[in-house]
Amino acid sequence: MLILRSLLANVVFYVNLSLWLVFAAFPALLLPRRYLMKIAGGWSRSALFLLRVTSGTGFEIKGLENVPSGGLIVASKHQSLWETFVLIGLFPDPVFILKRELTWIPFFGWCLLKLRMIPVDRGGRARALAQVTRGSRIEMRENGRQLLIFPEGTRRPAGAPPDYKYGVAHLYADLKVPCVPVALNSGLYWPRRKFLRLPGTIRLTFLPAIPPGLNKTEFQALLQDSIETESDRLLALGRSELAKLGLDPLAKHS
């Protein structure tokens, strides 16, 4: 049953994405960007609903009261594809830092460019950091957008040792805005590069904002400690939930 529900969840997710891209997002490329952003939010909500229906994977979001208004950095733990589409539906005008290869995908990549997301070539570190900083400054300071970033750069398996990059501290120091850490346990239920979608509740927490003004070393340490401490708590909570169903994906490593 788990395999069949996971198969259904995968098929429905990508069919739903394709329908939104072709029949809603593609025509909206001719309209002002704000219409395409509304469509992205609509797709996000539909994907969450269909995931719960097909695989029994729900979600719980806490701490939205910790998100200040105005320009800010949202620095999220990254374990799954799940948070990429959830976060985009939670902010009025978010801008993601993402690998440039995503912009090469027909339809999907065109939408990313229209939404003015910030593509980066992860192969050229110094050049990439300068490019991201310049693009973030424009989108946040001039256009008032919310910068969404994954400090580890790429998806990490649930329970894996942290691997935070320097880029988020550089942006924090340059942009001089609050940074909201985000913890989650999505990798338990929607593992990276895995077929299965496990039933249960994915949990995401917005933690208290880190105010501007810290030096880079202090900020990096505080950010990592905040995210990892809460993510470990959410991981234990999720594992306990899945263990009752005999589905804890990390049990064999314990």
Side-chain angles (χ1 to χ4, degrees):
M1 181 60 72
L2 178 62
I3 293 176
L4 290 176
R5 294 192 74 175
S6 296
L7 175 62
L8 179 62
N10 278 277
V11 170
V12 168
F13 177 81
Y14 288 106
V15 168
N16 180 56
L17 173 60
S18 298
L19 292 174
W20 276 88
L21 283 172
V22 174
F23 295 105
F26 184 56
L29 291 175
L30 301 175
L31 301 174
R33 184 177 61 85
R34 66 178 181 275
Y35 292 100
L36 187 57
M37 189 62 74
K38 290 182 182 298
I39 288 170
W43 166 67
S44 172
R45 291 186 290 273
S46 72
L48 288 169
F49 170 76
L50 292 171
L51 182 65
R52 184 173 66 247
V53 170
T54 55
S55 65
T57 311
F59 68 96
E60 178 182 87
I61 295 174
K62 291 186 176 181
L64 281 169
E65 68 277 7
N66 290 322
V67 181
S69 58
L72 74 157
I73 299 170
V74 179
S76 175
K77 188 74 175 170
H78 194 17
Q79 296 179 346
S80 170
L81 180 63
W82 182 84
E83 53 268 14
T84 62
F85 65 84
V86 170
L87 288 170
I88 202 170
L90 294 176
F91 293 91
D93 194 13
V95 54
F96 266 108
I97 296 172
L98 44 83
K99 56 185 180 182
R100 65 172 181 172
E101 289 82 1
L102 292 175
T103 65
W104 301 343
I105 302 172
F107 291 105
F108 184 71
W110 304 339
C111 291
L112 294 177
L113 293 173
K114 175 72 175 185
L115 290 170
R116 293 209 307 270
M117 300 303 180
I118 302 175
V120 57
D121 176 9
R122 294 191 296 185
R125 294 187 178 181
R127 185 176 68 254
L129 186 57
Q131 175 189 5
V132 166
T133 302
R134 183 170 58 253
S136 300
R137 192 182 300 125
I138 292 171
E139 294 300 338
M140 182 178 295
R141 291 182 179 173
E142 297 183 11
N143 300 316
R145 304 179 71 184
Q146 305 81 44
L147 179 66
L148 308 184
I149 186 172
F150 299 121
E152 294 175 281
T154 189
R155 289 173 295 172
R156 301 279 294 164
D163 185 23
Y164 286 67
K165 311 302 184 187
Y166 172 77
V168 64
H170 177 85
L171 288 170
Y172 166 83
D174 182 85
L175 296 172
K176 297 178 174 57
V177 295
C179 176
V180 177
V182 178
L184 47 78
N185 66 356
S186 58
L188 280 175
Y189 301 89
W190 186 326
R192 68 169 195 160
R193 302 171 187 166
K194 296 286 182 66
F195 167 79
L196 293 178
R197 302 289 178 265
L198 301 183
T201 304
I202 297 176
R203 294 176 171 87
L204 181 150
T205 303
F206 290 95
L207 299 163
I210 300 173
L214 299 180
N215 66 49
K216 294 179 183 180
T217 302
E218 291 173 332
F219 166 78
Q220 189 88 346
L222 179 57
L223 178 71
Q224 179 170 328
D225 182 68
S226 299
I227 293 177
E228 293 302 313
T229 299
E230 178 64 8
S231 291
D232 286 346
R233 187 186 74 83
L234 297 179
L235 181 68
L237 192 60
R239 291 190 63 188
S240 176
E241 177 182 74
L242 290 171
K244 295 175 182 177
L245 302 174
L247 296 174
D248 181 1
L250 304 183
K252 60 183 179 182
H253 301 301
S254 300

